[in-house]
Amino acid sequence: MDKKRFLRNVGIIFAISLILEIFVFNFRFFTTMGNDEILITPEIIERQSNEKSKESDIKVSFSEGIKYEENNKWTNEEGKLRPSFVIYDEEDAYLEIGNINEKIDNIYIDISNVKRKSYSDKKIVFKLYATDEANALYYGLPKRDVVRDVERSKYINLNLSGESEKLKIELYEGHDEDRFVFNEIKINANYPMFFSVIRLFSVFLIILAVYIVRPKSCFYKYVLNLKSVRQKVVLGLIIGAHIIGFTGVSLFNPKFVSVKIEHHLQYQQLTDAILDGHVYLDKKPPETLKNMDNPYDTNLRKSTLKKEGEKFLWDRAYYDGKYYVYFGIVPVLVYYLPFKLLTGFDFPTFAGIVITAIFFMFAVLGLVHQIIKRYFKNISFILYILLSFFFIDSCGIMYLLKRPDFYSLPIIMALMFSVSGLYFWISSIKYKPLKETANKKIKNSKYNYDEEFIESEQKFDGFILWRLAVGSLCMALVAGCRPQVLIGSFLAIPIFYKIVFKDRGLFSKKSVRETILFSLPYAVVAIGLMYYNYIRFDSVIDFGANYNLTTNDMTKRGFVLGRSPLGIFSYLFQPPAYSPRFPFISDAWFYTNYMGVTIKEYLFGGILFNHFLLCINLFVLKFKNSLKFKGLFYFCIMSIIFSVCIVIADTQLAGLLQRYMVDFAWLMFIPGIILILILLERVNDYLKKHITTVLLCGFAFSFYYDFATVFFYGDDALYSTNPTIHYTVAHLVQFWL
């Protein structure tokens, strides 16, 4: 493409973005320009209380549940002394503005909490009630969150019918003895220009990306070649942006940066125990717990200990009078123990999440590159980037990054080790090209088409031995993170099948060294984990999850067939709920006829719904001949089957939790990417453009879902733990509010 033309188009895109920022995203600046503001300040309230106000003046009154103290002034965020009021009855806490008698288009509320110690104190929830020409009595409007540090949130646009006589502002989530500073209220305020550089450049980059990846883009002519300096630079910039993004997302939630919840410190406690020379935790269980016939009975345990005034450690494995950590030990050995030995300090869990996510990103980039390099020809660099980051961003790690606690760490480490293991295994195989088989066709009578390929036949030419060993080590370490994800190790069967049974490159007399390097990591890790299990639970294969002191008796949970369909539907097919409120995606409805115990947290739709491009996996048999020709059929089939197996295992062993999506998602993405590449390889240029359009829509939908993941409502969500970040982004997106 001509550089001058490209730079000119970039300039046009920036100009469009600037116009959108000024005239569209800030349209309320222009529509409210010249409004006659009705200003309500402490001085007006004071004049009213001294009976100096006129009959036509605005009347402001407080409910009996609020005591307004004009002489008790507190410093607001601007350092000014302002009057305050205290809530004495949270059920009757509101202020009323009367004698308005005008059409109200908007209201500006600047009331702040005196408390400033925590992030949550920055947010106040108001519920408005209004009268108008259609309603002589008050009717309620939706509640709104006003955040002290987000000026835009203080402006609330109203859609009332004609003139209004009065307005009531209720402190919806106020609590007794909460004190607030009264700064000012404006009715029919003039919106300022909320010019956002972040939004400007975000829109610019989005439009630029659409321009570059559009189906008719000339950039698709650049074939993947990571030896190209330009491609390396582009890839490096995207990687750098992701590293910054991963770090930023993990730092958004202060609850997980400065951890104060006791049961979130289990890995730190296990580290201290190991340094003390044992694997049980130092804290001793109460005698009441030891004397219980069934300490795993949740309600009985709670009531019994409460009567005795004793407490137990939540979510620990309890066995033979001692507490243990049943979560995989590998994160401790990789991060916590070395860090403690080197620095003397506890390792911050969120840092482990970020570091692992970065290694995972490189593993995916390597794996997708190996798949394209070995099995496909003339794949564009753009498609490589889109498929790779579709995998990286959409497999669930964004949820783990925004909730970087110790529950998330073993999951993301199992993911990283699994993908890394596949990359090292595949890249360890050396092939020697024999000859070009141009225009080789395979007749498929069942589906009535000819498949045409232009590629090199290859012959096994040995291993890169260190990659073979590292691949096995990565796969083996999964068992010390998430044992159920270890099923991915069986993908060695389709990867090495031809090498084992045809070329005799493994498990034969002539390949003893290769066989040892493949098997030894598994043996070493297995011996270590079996010993670790035995000294804890007197069994080499018991990881201790059943002894968990949690919400249900795991020792009696068992395998119940009726739970499996619920898990398959929830994890794979269920759509989320949508709403007009940012981030526009809510947790899915949960209705079931299953009459039994199951555990369910917030779930935001099944993976095949939220990432609908993965539905191509459902048609894997239609690509059977293409996959067999490339030697990938059984790899794809086994990946899909294994993903469903993990879905069932997670449903049976634990329940329905959003973070468990990561356990099986990667096994959906790998065959999905392969099938997408085969589909594009199989069609002509005309159909390829239409398919590319569908793919781009799918990528866009998935990428938005990944963005929304950071802002989902639920436990420990940003809207409550860091409302400044949440509502800053929310109002940048919902500019029309």
Side-chain angles (χ1 to χ4, degrees):
M1 181 180 183
D2 181 52
K3 289 184 179 180
K4 290 184 179 179
R5 182 183 176 187
F6 176 71
L7 292 175
R8 183 196 66 190
N9 291 340
V10 170
I12 292 173
I13 291 171
F14 183 80
I16 293 172
S17 303
L18 186 60
I19 291 171
L20 289 173
E21 177 61 35
I22 295 174
F23 295 103
V24 176
F25 302 143
N26 278 285
F27 76 96
R28 293 211 180 274
F29 168 77
F30 299 99
T31 58
T32 61
M33 188 182 295
N35 275 3
D36 292 328
E37 293 184 337
I38 299 175
L39 184 63
I40 300 170
T41 64
E43 289 74 20
I44 292 176
I45 298 175
E46 182 179 353
R47 185 169 63 246
Q48 174 186 297
S49 64
N50 293 330
E51 298 182 354
K52 296 180 181 179
S53 61
K54 300 177 182 178
E55 186 175 342
S56 60
D57 287 347
I58 295 292
K59 307 296 183 183
V60 181
S61 60
F62 293 86
S63 65
E64 294 183 359
I66 290 179
K67 182 178 180 182
Y68 182 74
E69 302 173 346
E70 61 184 51
N71 295 322
N72 190 357
K73 298 184 178 182
W74 290 69
T75 305
N76 64 9
E77 54 271 21
E78 297 176 354
K80 297 179 180 179
L81 289 174
R82 309 298 284 173
S84 64
F85 61 87
V86 182
I87 293 178
Y88 285 99
D89 182 1
E90 61 187 63
E91 301 296 328
D92 183 32
Y94 65 87
L95 61 94
E96 189 175 49
I97 304 171
N99 207 24
I100 301 174
N101 298 320
E102 288 190 22
K103 180 173 175 53
I104 303 176
D105 293 322
N106 66 71
I107 184 170
Y108 171 82
I109 303 175
D110 190 1
I111 295 174
S112 57
N113 198 327
V114 167
K115 296 179 181 178
R116 295 187 177 92
K117 293 183 179 180
S118 68
Y119 280 90
S120 59
D121 293 331
K122 295 182 177 182
K123 184 185 74 170
I124 305 177
V125 182
F126 293 105
K127 185 171 178 60
L128 301 181
Y129 297 83
T131 63
D132 55 28
E133 292 180 6
N135 299 274
L137 302 178
Y138 276 130
Y139 67 97
L141 303 173
K143 63 181 181 179
R144 282 288 295 271
D145 301 334
V146 173
V147 183
R148 182 168 64 230
D149 297 338
V150 184
E151 186 68 13
R152 180 63 180 81
S153 70
K154 300 174 185 178
Y155 290 84
I156 305 173
N157 189 61
L158 303 179
N159 297 280
L160 308 180
S161 300
E163 293 186 355
S164 297
E165 178 189 357
K166 55 186 178 178
L167 195 68
K168 184 167 71 172
I169 305 173
E170 179 184 29
L171 280 81
Y172 189 74
E173 294 182 3
H175 301 289
D176 290 350
E177 300 184 4
D178 279 358
R179 182 177 292 275
F180 299 87
V181 175
F182 187 100
N183 294 312
E184 64 179 5
I185 294 174
K186 299 176 186 177
I187 295 176
N188 291 334
N190 294 299
Y191 278 61
M193 173 71 73
F194 290 103
F195 188 93
S196 171
V197 176
I198 294 175
R199 181 168 54 195
L200 170 64
F201 280 98
S202 297
V203 171
F204 167 71
L205 291 174
I206 290 171
I207 298 175
L208 181 62
V210 171
Y211 168 71
I212 291 173
V213 305
R214 73 192 192 282
K216 295 183 179 180
S217 172
C218 65
F219 289 98
Y220 284 98
K221 71 181 181 180
Y222 296 106
V223 177
L224 173 62
N225 176 20
L226 292 185
K227 294 181 180 179
S228 165
V229 175
R230 290 183 178 180
Q231 292 188 16
K232 286 181 180 178
V233 170
V234 172
L235 182 58
L237 290 173
I238 298 173
I239 290 172
H242 271 73
I243 292 174
I244 294 171
F246 289 169
T247 306
V249 169
S250 69
L251 292 174
F252 281 171
N253 203 325
K255 183 174 182 177
F256 301 112
V257 176
S258 301
V259 181
K260 297 179 181 178
I261 303 174
E262 193 275 337
H263 71 271
H264 282 214
L265 299 172
Q266 293 190 41
Y267 275 145
Q268 288 87 344
Q269 295 167 357
L270 178 56
T271 301
D272 292 336
I274 292 173
L275 291 175
D276 288 340
H278 51 81
V279 294
Y280 56 85
L281 301 185
D282 292 323
K283 190 167 184 179
K284 295 182 179 180
E287 291 300 320
T288 304
L289 186 68
K290 294 180 181 180
N291 294 330
M292 289 185 64
D293 293 332
N294 182 12
Y296 310 107
D297 184 330
T298 304
N299 294 326
L300 179 62
R301 180 180 65 245
K302 287 181 178 180
S303 62
T304 302
L305 291 176
K306 186 177 181 180
K307 288 180 182 179
E308 299 297 328
E310 296 177 329
K311 296 181 180 180
F312 66 97
L313 294 185
W314 176 260
D315 216 6
R316 308 305 201 282
Y318 173 73
Y319 181 80
D320 197 22
K322 292 183 176 65
Y323 287 127
Y324 297 92
V325 173
Y326 69 90
F327 296 89
I329 193 175
V330 167
V332 172
L333 300 179
V334 172
Y335 291 125
Y336 295 85
L337 194 57
F339 189 84
K340 186 93 174 191
L341 289 171
L342 289 173
T343 67
F345 297 101
D346 288 332
F347 179 76
T349 300
F350 79 92
I353 300 283
V354 174
I355 294 169
T356 307
I358 294 171
F359 276 107
F360 166 70
M361 175 171 57
F362 283 107
V364 171
L365 289 168
L367 177 61
V368 175
H369 181 256
Q370 284 296 319
I371 291 172
I372 292 174
K373 177 182 175 182
R374 291 174 184 270
Y375 303 108
F376 299 92
K377 303 295 180 183
N378 301 322
I379 300 300
S380 69
F381 176 65
I382 287 181
L383 188 59
Y384 165 68
I385 292 294
L386 289 172
L387 289 173
S388 296
F389 286 96
F390 170 54
F391 188 171
I392 292 165
D393 296 332
S394 302
C395 70
I397 69 165
M398 297 306 295
Y399 184 82
L400 303 186
L401 282 163
K402 79 110 176 188
R403 197 179 189 275
D405 60 5
F406 91 104
Y407 290 105
S408 300
L409 186 55
I411 297 175
I412 196 171
M413 288 190 73
L415 171 67
M416 183 271 293
F417 281 131
S418 296
V419 177
S420 298
L422 291 181
Y423 162 71
F424 283 114
W425 272 350
I426 294 174
S427 65
S428 72
I429 305 171
K430 294 192 295 183
Y431 286 112
K432 181 180 179 181
L434 294 179
K435 62 178 180 178
E436 293 290 328
T437 57
N439 298 322
K440 182 175 181 179
K441 294 186 177 182
I442 301 174
K443 184 68 177 178
N444 191 323
S445 57
K446 183 176 180 181
Y447 299 111
N448 194 25
Y449 63 82
D450 289 344
E451 298 185 17
E452 183 174 300
F453 301 93
I454 303 176
E455 62 176 35
S456 296
E457 290 185 353
Q458 296 176 327
K459 180 180 180 182
F460 174 64
D461 195 34
F463 286 106
I464 301 174
L465 296 179
W466 72 268
R467 288 178 178 267
L468 180 65
V470 171
S472 293
L473 178 62
C474 288
M475 283 298 196
L477 289 173
V478 171
C481 300
R482 294 281 287 178
Q484 59 266 50
V485 184
L486 188 61
I487 194 173
S489 289
F490 289 99
L491 291 175
I493 296 173
I495 291 174
F496 298 116
Y497 183 85
K498 182 180 177 184
I499 295 170
V500 171
F501 294 101
K502 183 177 179 181
D503 299 310
R504 309 302 293 170
L506 272 177
F507 303 106
S508 67
K509 291 182 179 179
K510 68 176 184 179
S511 60
V512 174
R513 180 179 58 174
E514 290 81 357
T515 303
I516 291 174
L517 288 174
F518 174 82
S519 305
L520 185 61
Y522 277 101
V524 173
V525 172
I527 291 171
L529 290 177
M530 286 190 291
Y531 173 74
Y532 180 58
N533 288 339
Y534 182 77
I535 61 176
R536 295 185 302 163
F537 308 118
D538 301 316
S539 170
V540 296
I541 60 173
D542 193 341
F543 287 86
N546 284 344
Y547 307 123
N548 183 17
L549 300 180
T550 185
T551 58
N552 62 112
D553 185 350
M554 301 286 286
T555 64
K556 305 295 191 299
R557 187 172 176 85
F559 184 97
V560 182
L561 187 62
R563 279 199 293 257
S564 296
L566 180 61
I568 291 172
F569 172 74
S570 298
Y571 279 131
L572 299 181
F573 300 104
Q574 185 173 28
Y578 295 100
S579 73
R581 182 180 183 181
F582 179 83
F584 313 117
I585 298 175
S586 303
D587 56 305
W589 294 101
F590 184 72
Y591 292 112
T592 177
N593 291 322
Y594 173 73
M595 303 298 287
V597 174
T598 189
I599 306 303
K600 192 260 181 190
E601 293 182 1
Y602 289 94
L603 281 176
F604 299 90
I607 191 171
L608 294 181
F609 192 95
N610 295 320
H611 308 292
F612 64 82
L613 293 181
L614 296 181
C615 289
I616 196 171
N617 288 319
L618 301 176
F619 305 96
V620 63
L621 294 179
K622 290 186 176 292
F623 296 89
K624 182 177 180 179
N625 278 11
S626 302
L627 291 168
K628 279 193 170 182
F629 180 79
K630 294 178 180 292
L632 291 171
F633 177 69
Y634 293 105
F635 179 86
C636 290
I637 285 290
M638 290 178 69
S639 295
I640 296 168
I641 292 173
F642 289 167
S643 67
V644 177
C645 289
I646 294 177
V647 166
I648 294 173
D650 280 347
T651 304
Q652 295 291 341
L653 297 173
L656 308 176
L657 291 82
Q658 182 71 23
R659 62 178 178 268
Y660 290 174
M661 294 273 190
V662 182
D663 286 343
F664 61 85
W666 64 283
L667 288 164
M668 290 280 189
F669 275 91
I670 297 173
I673 288 172
I674 291 172
L675 293 174
I676 288 171
L677 290 170
I678 286 181
L679 179 63
L680 290 173
E681 185 180 64
R682 212 167 73 177
V683 299
N684 57 38
D685 290 339
Y686 175 77
L687 287 176
K688 187 178 291 186
K689 289 183 179 179
H690 290 285
I691 292 172
T692 301
T693 301
V694 175
L695 289 177
L696 293 176
C697 292
F699 293 145
F701 186 84
S702 293
F703 289 149
Y704 177 75
Y705 181 87
D706 304 328
F707 166 77
T709 296
V710 180
F711 302 96
F712 281 159
Y713 287 79
D715 293 335
D716 306 318
L718 286 180
Y719 82 97
S720 61
T721 60
N722 195 344
T724 298
I725 291 291
H726 180 94
Y727 288 98
T728 296
V729 176
H731 285 282
L732 288 178
V733 175
Q734 290 186 283
F735 60 90
W736 56 87
L737 293 179

